[in-house]
Amino acid sequence: MEPSENQPLYAPQEPIFPRRVSGFFRTFKWWIMGITLGIYYLTPWVRWDRGPSLPDQAVLVDLAGRRFYFFWIEIWPHEFYFVAGLLIMAGLGLFLFTSALGRVWCGYTCPQTVWTDLFILVERWIEGDRNARVRLWNAKWDIRKWRLRLTKWIVWLMIAIATGGAWVFYFTDAPTLALDLVRFEAHPVAYITIAILTLTTFIFGGFLREQVCIYMCPWPRIQGAMMDDSTLTVAYRDWRGEPRGKKHQNTVGDCIDCMVCVNVCPMGIDIRDGQQMECITCALCIDACDDVMEKIGKPRGLIDYLALSDEEAERSGTPPRPIWQHILRPRTVLYTSLWSLVGLALLFALFIRPEIDLTVEPIRNPTFVTLSDGSVRNAYNIRLRNKHGEPRQFRISLSSEQVLRIGLEGQDRNIVTLDPDSSTQQRVYVTARPQDEAASSDRTELRFWIEDLESGERAYKNTTFNGRAN
Amino acid sequence: MSETEIDEETGIDTTGHEWDGIKELNNPLPRWWLWCFYLTIIWGIGYTIAYPAWPLLSSATTGVLGYSTRAEVAAEIAEYEARNAELRTALANADLTTLPENPDLNRFAVAGGAAVFRSHCSQCHGSGAAGAKGYPNLLDDDWLWGGDIDTIAYTINHGIRNETDPDAHWSQMPAFGEILERGEIDQTVAFVQKLSGQEHDATLAEAGAVIFEEQCSACHGEAGLGDREQGAPNLTDAIWLYGGDADALHETITYSRFGVMPAWGQRLSPSDVNAVAAYVHQLGGGE
């Protein structure tokens, strides 16, 4: 079908020049920006003693060694359920926050928002506030415009390089890699990763900004489905503000149509049009409007955190429900409980997790071997894991109600030595003599034990022994 | 639908699609999206020029970069071969008895031997090396020709009772059906059952002892313990290559057995032979 004449197929990006704003939410967002960026840039430089064979880094994703180190926690590939659990918690946490506070993630902590905020800050320092930037946008490309634009792009680029650069430090020893990087001795993968992340940061933070939220990100759609009429979102009290008009005109509403809420909006929308997909609930319009309301001597809160359900109440003059009633609902309680349950399960799993570990793979091809004296022998592959930073010796033993003997392939004693932070596979033979009950019966329960000879730590796994009747 | 419908609320066209009363707005795409789309087309054209892409009658365009997945795999294989060349040479010339003292070489040998075993040996000896009737179980502690690693390597190299290698292990048990009476064979069977601690007819076994002494002890030994020099099995243990019950023993004594193993030294490289020897030796029965 044909679009109507005045509607194009493609729309150019409308430039947005967010105005400086100050107030409670702006200050809160500066703090969040400082903390989140601080965590991102500084974490790889936090040191942690990891013994002689590993970099002394507190947070380290060792892809080559297939390990993840987080302070005192060490995650091995077979413990990936911790990561899955954290992702489930992140998902439930997002449900919780979205159903209670709308797109609070988008407005305050999403990297796209935080970096865009930082880029806008730089833009304002260099090119001035909104009006100056609008003038510069319309100005000819003279020397001044080039100078300002190039300065801005260079600073952006430096932030982008630092962003891409910080990312690679999570994967190897940060000080060593930093030196290698400046000496041009680092691995090409490091440079390529930095280049890609630099490019995306530069483009997303500097130029695409709100386009990322509106056109690229799936969250706005998904989050829309999680909100209901009790969810607190940024809204305009149109029953108080309308009809809007200039201060000295004889209008009834509180809104003086000063456009400041539109001018501060990083998404370029008018919140007075009601809830809309573009709004990331960054709350800057609340700060801006409150400022104006104070100046003209009207109560604050013309634009405010509001739930849809409040509208009816306020229109009819009854006081709105207190905030805790918006937040404490069956739905949010359910999300919080699920979130806590997963969290507790993960904590529990983390603390009962031994530093030494084994898995047992019974060899069932063949199920058993008859030896020349008539003994029946089963073989098992036991994988031993040493999560300590130093080599450890493990003794392998077994316990069973029946008489069974244990022997290790290639080892004279039942002791295996493991390198630091490593695993090894050891074949273990269990034998029942011809006269033993286990030799003639079908299956016998048994338990393999490993004992760290240094710390005395023990771990076990249960398995079965196949006799001749099997 | 041919008429354009304009949404009253927003003033924007709808696409004309409707689901349970919900209509879709026909918002314009962002211009940069269009540029990205053009970029992918340019990228696609460049890709088909650089890489193999367009099908021709008998093959396809090769691309100006000359890339091919086969060549890449071949290069990767060559790279691994080159990386392992030193280990292969070392393994081919290694003193096998001291192999475990060199953990890296030993690991290489066992892992490589496992692969060679699966390709060349598992057809008879089974993928788990547990053998079958007539094909020895390599997991147990009983060896016809010897279970130390050098003997295992020799057996793999030269094989058993084959026509192709003059150094193959060789021995042959006579078919006693042509030498002994049927009754005498029954007596011998009873004696062999006695030797291995099975239930047996004591009177038959007593007579069988004499026959065993005369006919069998030269190879199997007076006590029936066998002789690895001749590949003569130990008859007193619990392990039977062709079965240890009366019927199987009867068949063995009457018609004899003749198991053959190829000389793998003629087919495998010296390092592969040593690798299989190392693998078999660490399966649980190595001496």
Side-chain angles (χ1 to χ4, degrees):
Chain A
M1 58 174 277
E2 292 295 309
S4 55
E5 278 169 32
N6 58 353
Q7 188 167 323
L9 273 173
Y10 300 98
Q13 183 183 357
E14 294 290 335
I16 298 172
F17 308 94
R19 209 183 99 168
R20 199 174 81 85
V21 63
S22 56
F24 171 78
F25 290 107
R26 181 64 267 183
T27 312
F28 184 48
K29 279 163 68 82
W30 287 137
W31 276 103
I32 289 179
M33 182 203 275
I35 292 167
T36 49
L37 289 180
I39 291 173
Y40 176 70
Y41 287 117
L42 298 181
T43 304
W45 300 90
V46 181
R47 303 287 90 189
W48 191 269
D49 182 19
R50 298 223 177 274
S53 56
L54 281 166
D56 290 331
Q57 193 152 315
V59 178
L60 180 68
V61 183
D62 181 3
L63 287 180
R66 278 121 175 110
R67 302 274 186 279
F68 172 55
Y69 303 94
F70 184 82
F71 294 91
W72 67 97
I73 302 169
E74 185 177 332
I75 306 277
W76 288 38
H78 69 289
E79 294 165 324
F80 200 76
Y81 55 85
F82 279 111
V83 180
L86 285 175
L87 287 174
I88 291 170
M89 283 180 73
L92 287 171
L94 197 78
F95 298 171
L96 170 65
F97 277 98
T98 308
S99 65
L101 298 168
R103 290 174 61 183
V104 66
W105 160 260
C106 301
Y108 293 82
T109 44
C110 173
Q112 174 64 22
T113 298
V114 171
W115 260 275
T116 301
D117 236 15
L118 180 66
F119 273 49
I120 292 176
L121 181 68
V122 169
E123 191 169 69
R124 198 166 64 229
W125 275 343
I126 292 167
E127 297 179 348
D129 204 1
R130 174 179 160 86
N131 291 342
R133 296 212 301 276
V134 174
R135 277 199 302 277
L136 190 67
W137 174 270
N138 293 320
K140 281 214 181 85
W141 281 90
D142 58 8
I143 292 182
R144 180 175 169 274
K145 184 164 180 174
W146 272 111
R147 180 172 57 79
L148 290 173
R149 280 282 197 268
L150 283 176
T151 318
K152 178 176 81 173
W153 290 339
I154 288 167
V155 177
W156 280 357
L157 198 63
M158 306 229 284
I159 297 173
I161 290 172
T163 305
W167 179 262
V168 295
F169 290 146
Y170 283 84
F171 297 88
T172 183
D173 186 43
T176 316
L177 180 61
L179 272 180
D180 286 351
L181 282 171
V182 293
R183 288 182 191 142
F184 295 101
E185 286 169 1
H187 196 276
V189 168
Y191 290 111
I192 293 168
T193 310
I194 293 175
I196 291 172
L197 287 175
T198 301
L199 197 72
T200 52
T201 311
F202 186 70
I203 293 175
F204 286 11
F207 304 97
L208 280 178
R209 293 186 181 172
E210 79 287 346
Q211 303 284 311
V212 174
C213 310
I214 299 172
Y215 294 109
M216 297 185 193
C217 183
W219 273 127
R221 277 76 173 170
I222 297 172
Q223 292 185 114
M226 288 175 213
M227 301 204 278
D228 53 35
D229 61 357
S230 291
T231 303
L232 287 168
T233 56
V234 176
Y236 166 64
R237 287 192 159 95
D238 61 348
W239 55 95
R240 189 186 128 189
E242 301 296 321
R244 59 183 90 153
K246 290 280 176 274
K247 192 180 168 190
H248 301 296
Q249 290 168 349
N250 193 18
T251 47
V252 193
D254 282 354
C255 177
I256 57 169
D257 208 12
C258 63
M259 298 300 277
V260 84
C261 56
V262 179
N263 292 345
V264 298
C265 181
M267 303 301 290
I269 56 166
D270 189 341
I271 191 65
R272 295 172 298 176
D273 293 343
Q275 240 185 43
Q276 48 209 294
M277 190 192 74
E278 289 86 348
C279 179
I280 58 171
T281 71
C282 68
L284 292 183
C285 50
I286 300 182
D287 278 348
C289 187
D290 279 351
D291 205 26
V292 171
M293 287 297 115
E294 254 174 34
K295 276 180 191 151
I296 63 167
K298 293 271 167 69
R300 297 160 65 100
L302 182 57
I303 302 174
D304 204 353
Y305 267 106
L306 279 178
L308 281 177
S309 62
D310 289 337
E311 185 175 337
E312 288 294 312
E314 287 200 17
R315 272 186 202 280
S316 59
T318 47
R321 286 194 296 165
I323 283 203
W324 69 266
Q325 278 190 10
H326 286 300
I327 293 176
L328 202 67
R329 285 178 283 137
R331 184 173 174 173
T332 55
V333 171
L334 175 71
Y335 287 147
T336 313
S337 325
L338 287 174
W339 189 86
S340 315
L341 264 178
V342 178
L344 284 174
L346 284 184
L347 273 182
F348 183 68
L350 191 65
F351 284 112
I352 63 158
R353 193 176 62 134
E355 289 292 293
I356 60 176
D357 192 14
L358 78 161
T359 44
V360 176
E361 177 213 348
I363 296 174
R364 293 302 184 228
N365 175 20
T367 48
F368 65 89
V369 176
T370 307
L371 300 183
S372 50
D373 66 353
S375 298
V376 172
R377 190 184 69 194
N378 281 207
Y380 304 84
N381 280 330
I382 296 190
R383 183 159 285 282
L384 300 150
R385 302 189 182 89
N386 171 25
K387 295 178 184 172
H388 293 284
E390 64 267 9
R392 285 287 165 98
Q393 287 196 314
F394 292 116
R395 178 190 289 123
I396 304 181
S397 56
L398 69 79
S399 59
S400 170
E401 289 177 6
Q402 302 295 331
V403 184
L404 290 169
R405 284 140 197 269
I406 186 170
L408 271 56
E409 172 63 35
Q411 314 281 353
D412 294 333
R413 299 178 302 157
N414 292 339
I415 291 172
V416 184
T417 307
L418 260 79
D419 292 336
D421 284 306
S422 69
S423 72
T424 193
Q425 186 168 289
Q426 172 68 46
R427 192 156 352 96
V428 174
Y429 302 116
V430 175
T431 311
R433 294 168 303 174
Q435 68 268 30
D436 295 333
E437 199 184 319
S440 48
S441 54
D442 179 0
R443 283 185 179 182
T444 307
E445 304 289 323
L446 77 113
R447 173 174 289 183
F448 281 113
W449 288 91
I450 55 168
E451 182 184 355
D452 182 336
L453 290 185
E454 193 167 316
S455 67
E457 249 184 301
R458 280 152 69 86
Y460 69 83
K461 278 280 178 333
N462 294 332
T463 183
T464 52
F465 177 91
N466 290 329
R468 267 193 298 271
N470 182 268
Chain B
M1 280 217 22
S2 57
E3 295 261 318
T4 303
E5 187 189 347
I6 295 179
D7 176 56
E8 279 179 23
E9 194 76 21
T10 57
I12 294 171
D13 297 347
T14 71
T15 56
H17 305 151
E18 184 177 333
W19 296 271
D20 295 340
I22 299 174
K23 292 175 187 170
E24 188 184 28
L25 292 181
N26 192 15
N27 275 307
L29 275 172
R31 177 73 63 185
W32 59 260
W33 188 94
L34 186 67
W35 289 116
C36 288
F37 181 60
Y38 288 150
L39 271 179
T40 58
I41 293 173
I42 294 167
W43 173 271
I45 293 170
Y47 193 94
T48 60
I49 295 169
Y51 286 95
W54 298 105
L56 304 173
L57 276 181
S58 58
S59 63
T61 54
T62 53
V64 292
L65 293 184
Y67 173 84
S68 99
T69 45
R70 278 170 189 271
E72 191 176 68
V73 169
E76 266 176 42
I77 292 173
E79 192 195 321
Y80 278 99
E81 295 282 346
R83 214 184 294 167
N84 287 338
E86 209 175 303
L87 282 167
R88 279 186 185 284
T89 320
L91 184 57
N93 304 313
D95 175 9
L96 292 177
T97 49
T98 59
L99 200 56
E101 291 163 22
N102 185 345
D104 281 341
L105 191 58
N106 193 31
R107 210 175 303 127
F108 176 74
V110 171
V116 177
F117 186 91
R118 281 186 192 104
S119 323
H120 298 288
C121 315
S122 61
Q123 289 85 344
C124 294
H125 291 284
S127 59
K133 185 185 173 189
Y135 302 103
N137 184 335
L138 304 174
L139 303 169
D140 62 31
D141 56 348
D142 188 34
W143 299 90
L144 288 169
W145 301 90
D148 63 275
I149 190 163
D150 283 326
T151 311
I152 293 173
Y154 183 95
T155 305
I156 297 166
N157 244 324
H158 302 290
I160 297 165
R161 297 185 196 96
N162 60 60
E163 304 285 347
T164 54
D165 190 326
D167 292 327
H169 289 307
W170 195 278
S171 65
Q172 189 170 0
M173 174 171 156
F176 283 96
E178 296 161 10
I179 299 167
L180 299 173
E181 298 297 323
R182 191 177 168 82
E184 292 174 313
I185 292 176
D186 288 342
Q187 292 164 354
T188 316
V189 167
F191 181 71
V192 172
Q193 284 182 300
K194 182 188 175 188
L195 273 180
S196 55
Q198 302 182 54
E199 280 182 33
H200 59 276
D201 186 317
T203 35
L204 283 179
E206 206 173 316
V210 182
I211 302 164
F212 188 87
E213 168 77 37
E214 285 170 5
Q215 304 286 352
C216 315
S217 61
C219 294
H220 290 284
E222 287 184 19
L225 292 172
D227 179 8
R228 287 180 173 182
E229 287 295 311
Q230 310 176 59
N234 181 341
L235 303 176
T236 65
D237 64 19
I239 295 171
W240 297 94
L241 184 53
Y242 294 92
D245 58 75
D247 287 345
L249 288 173
H250 211 280
E251 193 181 329
T252 302
I253 295 171
T254 307
Y255 301 107
S256 169
R257 306 283 184 181
F258 196 80
V260 175
M261 171 171 158
W264 290 101
Q266 298 166 348
R267 309 189 194 183
L268 300 175
S269 70
S271 68
D272 278 351
V273 169
N274 283 353
V276 181
Y279 171 72
V280 170
H281 185 258
Q282 58 83 59
L283 283 173
E287 293 171 348

